[in-house]
Amino acid sequence: DSGVTQTPKHLITATGQRVTLRCSPRSGDLSVYWYQQSLDQGLQFLIQYYNGEERAKGNILERFSAQQFPDLHSELNLSSLELGDSALYFCASSVDVNSPLHFGNGTRLTVT
Amino acid sequence: GNSVTQMEGPVTLSEEAFLTINCTYTATGYPSLFWYVQYPGEGLQLLLKATKADDKGSNKGFEATYRKETTSFHLEKGSVQVSDSAVYFCALSDTGTASKLTFGTGTRLQVTL
């Protein structure tokens, strides 16, 4: 158990809808990362937050947004969903930006 | 930009066989290198890492050496077990930080009795 909790585990929704994925980092970790894992794109870095502030951005679509709250949990919001957004979304956390990442078990999103 | 290239899988081995999974990278500066493992239904777990040239990372019988001259970080294990069956990801991070990991495509390892 990595200590990183992601909810829900599975999500099935229709095109055009909006969903929110939630992540609770390991106790004491200040940095949260979001990754998307799909069959055609592999593992792609989306965005990183450190202690509530956005730290780095990767291949995140404009339809996607994220935030980290004062209690350090993070949410990834996906809107105007398309079939191609179907993927496994991982959250990871670390103590600081120089420490190894610890991954949650992911949220599997299926867009129909 | 940064990139990581891994050998394509799946790799199928008998128990106690020798394992090599090739990984090469392209990066500016001096990245840190990692191997992560993903067991079915789980998230990625850090297996080992190396932060500078000639460093050898090791864990659970797995080893990988950071070779700057060949830009490689091949994963090896002398004797695999059925429990090693998983997907293995090679990754690199920008200099001095573990954020923004760039992953390879992953190599699925299947170990049979």
Side-chain angles (χ1 to χ4, degrees):
Chain A
D1 182 9
S2 67
V4 178
T5 303
Q6 289 188 247
T7 57
K9 290 185 179 179
H10 302 278
L11 203 46
I12 301 175
T13 189
T15 54
Q17 295 298 304
R18 172 190 170 95
V19 296
T20 297
L21 313 184
R22 183 188 168 101
C23 170
S24 294
R26 287 190 326 160
S27 177
D29 285 359
L30 298 178
S31 201
V32 170
Y33 310 76
W34 286 98
Y35 283 82
Q36 179 194 58
Q37 185 179 33
S38 61
L39 284 175
D40 54 344
Q41 296 286 331
L43 264 166
Q44 299 282 317
F45 168 72
L46 296 178
I47 198 165
Q48 177 202 358
Y49 281 83
Y50 180 79
N51 204 20
E53 295 192 2
E54 183 183 302
R55 184 68 180 250
K57 234 174 186 178
N59 302 321
I60 188 166
L61 300 172
E62 285 191 12
R63 301 183 285 108
F64 296 0
S65 65
Q67 54 184 326
Q68 186 179 27
F69 294 86
D71 67 353
L72 300 178
H73 91 271
S74 177
E75 292 181 355
L76 178 67
N77 299 297
L78 315 177
S79 62
S80 303
L81 286 168
E82 302 175 358
L83 295 177
D85 297 327
S86 296
L88 200 50
Y89 291 84
F90 284 108
C91 170
S93 71
S94 65
V95 171
D96 55 46
V97 297
N98 293 315
S99 299
L101 274 58
H102 298 268
F103 283 78
N105 287 348
T107 293
R108 182 170 295 282
L109 172 67
T110 303
V111 182
T112 62
Chain B
N2 297 339
S3 68
V4 175
T5 302
Q6 283 183 242
M7 62 186 290
E8 294 219 5
V11 174
T12 303
L13 295 173
S14 298
E15 200 170 45
E16 299 183 3
F18 185 86
L19 168 71
T20 300
I21 300 179
N22 290 338
C23 170
T24 57
Y25 67 90
T26 302
T28 54
Y30 302 95
S32 294
L33 301 174
F34 306 83
W35 277 100
Y36 278 82
V37 58
Q38 184 179 27
Y39 298 101
E42 298 184 12
L44 281 74
Q45 300 174 25
L46 177 64
L47 182 58
L48 52 85
K49 67 173 183 176
T51 57
K52 62 182 188 297
D54 299 326
D55 265 3
K56 177 185 281 189
S58 61
N59 185 27
K60 299 180 181 180
F62 290 89
E63 292 183 341
T65 301
Y66 189 144
R67 300 285 188 203
K68 191 171 185 297
E69 64 276 13
T70 55
T71 62
S72 64
F73 193 55
H74 304 322
L75 181 68
E76 296 182 337
K77 186 175 186 183
S79 176
V80 293
Q81 306 299 311
V82 172
S83 57
D84 294 327
S85 298
V87 181
Y88 292 81
F89 291 90
C90 184
L92 66 82
S93 70
D94 292 335
T95 304
T97 175
S99 67
K100 293 177 64 177
L101 285 169
T102 299
F103 285 92
T105 52
T107 302
R108 181 175 299 279
L109 170 65
Q110 182 71 44
V111 181
T112 59
L113 290 171

